[in-house]
Each structure stands twice: as structure tokens, then as C-alpha cells.
Amino acid sequence: MDLALFGNSIGISDLLDWRECPTRMELGMQRHVGNENPGATNWTNAYGSAIHDAIHLVETEGLTNEEAVDRVWTTYGGYLDPEDLALLKEDLDTYRGDTPLGMELVVAEADLKVPLFTLPNRETFYFRFKIDALYRREEDHSVFYARDYKSSKHRKSQQEVDKDLQMWAYNWAIHERYPECPTLPQSYQHLKSGNH
């Protein structure tokens, strides 16, 4: 597979897909260049994709909750239930009121990448990752805090989250991207169910 087609970058989901089936990874990576294969949208993940896109719109375009939900509904509405409209707005309310005390937001719903390795011909390959919310302490910029939003409608167990290689990979990537960050507590939050 020619990673140059994808900006010489790969993410944790792509790597996990490759472990299961290299063809699945190759087909799945088409989403990064706007060439999703037919049937690529997984209706079981639609709510999670919708709330992440809505948070991105709130942060980057300053949309209200109503405006953000209306915008994402045009993309995901066909995969969601009518009651999800209210749930999306409620989760956005939770997100807006959730900046940790004494912390300032560094990035939210940000697509980032860090060098993964460089070949002898100096061609560099990157690890691609998306940060849900990264903060740093206002009085000590060496202390960062990363929060991952678990956004499915169905609550994940502690065991499922602990086995999720995404948080381990993102811990490494954040330290690579922000070398001034020696301290990085991480947490996850089910938007409907509170922190863990």
C-alpha cells in the first residue's frame, strides 16, 4: 500500500484495522482522501461521529448548539433516531460546561500528526491522531491534561476503555507533539454518563 496517497500518515484505527485485515485498512483509509467505499458509514458509530463533528463546529466556527446539531444532522440524520436530536444538544451542553478548573484549552477536536519514522531516503512517515480536548494548567504550562470523549450512545465498560490502544497511542503522540509536556494525566468521559 502506498502511504504517499494518504500524506504518508497513518492513525491508530488504521493500524488496528491492519491487524485484523490489511484489505480493511486499505479500504478504510480511503476516508482520509474523500474516497470512502460504498457502505463505509457504519450506522452503529453515527452518533459518535455526529457529536464529535458538532463539538468541532462549536469550537472552530462558534456555532450555537442548535446550529451545530442542525449542521451535523444533514450528514448523519439518516443513521440516527429522532430522540438523538435532544441527546446531541444535551451532550453539547455537557461539553461546554466542562473545562477543568485552573486549566486552559490548548486544542479541541484537532487533527494532528507527529513523525513516526524516516527512511534512509529521508522520506518521513507520520502518526495521525485527533485530540478531543487537550488542556494545560494556567499557572504551570508543563502540566497538560487530555480528555477523550466516549461518544457512543452505549456506555463502555472500564475494561473496554483500559484495553483501548487509542489512549496509549495518543499519550505517546501528545508527548511527541508537545515536548514541553512532561506531565500528562488522561481521562475519558462518557458525555451522557460522567467522567471515569
Side-chain angles (χ1 to χ4, degrees):
M1 181 174 169
D2 185 2
L3 285 180
L5 299 173
F6 309 100
N8 279 357
S9 62
I10 193 165
I12 188 65
S13 297
D14 307 316
L15 292 169
L16 293 175
D17 280 348
W18 179 82
R19 285 172 54 175
E20 296 292 323
C21 173
T23 302
R24 181 193 305 166
M25 182 197 85
E26 188 168 354
L27 291 172
M29 286 190 70
Q30 296 297 318
R31 71 189 184 282
H32 299 305
V33 291
N35 296 328
E36 283 192 304
N37 54 304
T41 301
N42 182 342
W43 69 269
T44 62
N45 296 330
Y47 184 86
S49 298
I51 190 61
H52 279 284
D53 285 1
I55 290 171
H56 178 75
L57 291 169
V58 163
E59 289 295 340
T60 60
E61 298 186 25
L63 300 188
T64 66
N65 291 359
E66 292 271 347
E67 291 168 335
V69 170
D70 286 347
R71 182 92 67 86
V72 301
W73 196 262
T74 61
T75 302
Y76 300 103
Y79 302 96
L80 298 174
D81 300 320
E83 59 269 21
D84 289 334
L85 271 172
L87 185 58
L88 285 165
K89 292 171 187 173
E90 186 177 334
D91 280 350
L92 283 175
D93 281 337
T94 300
Y95 169 79
R96 284 183 185 273
D98 205 33
T99 299
L101 188 64
M103 306 292 278
E104 60 188 7
L105 185 67
V106 177
V107 292
E109 296 296 328
D111 291 306
L112 303 172
K113 63 182 182 177
V114 294
L116 191 55
F117 60 87
T118 301
L119 297 178
N121 67 2
R122 299 190 179 190
E123 184 178 20
T124 300
F125 292 82
Y126 297 89
F127 178 76
R128 177 190 335 101
F129 62 111
K130 185 166 192 167
I131 293 293
D132 292 350
L134 180 65
Y135 305 90
R136 69 180 170 208
R137 187 175 291 166
E138 292 173 347
E139 296 182 0
D140 182 356
H141 285 186
S142 70
V143 178
F144 282 60
Y145 166 56
R147 176 176 286 154
D148 187 59
Y149 291 105
K150 301 303 179 190
S151 49
S152 66
K153 287 198 292 182
H154 306 287
R155 183 186 181 92
K156 290 191 177 187
S157 70
Q158 180 70 48
Q159 185 178 23
E160 288 175 308
V161 173
D162 290 344
K163 286 184 176 179
D164 187 354
L165 294 179
Q166 175 187 315
M167 290 185 79
W168 294 97
Y170 282 18
N171 184 293
W172 169 81
I174 291 169
H175 278 95
E176 291 292 308
R177 178 67 173 78
Y178 298 95
E180 69 274 23
C181 163
T183 304
L184 180 67
Q186 289 177 278
S187 72
Y188 69 93
Q189 179 183 16
H190 290 278
L191 283 170
K192 276 293 288 175
S193 308
N195 288 323
H196 287 273

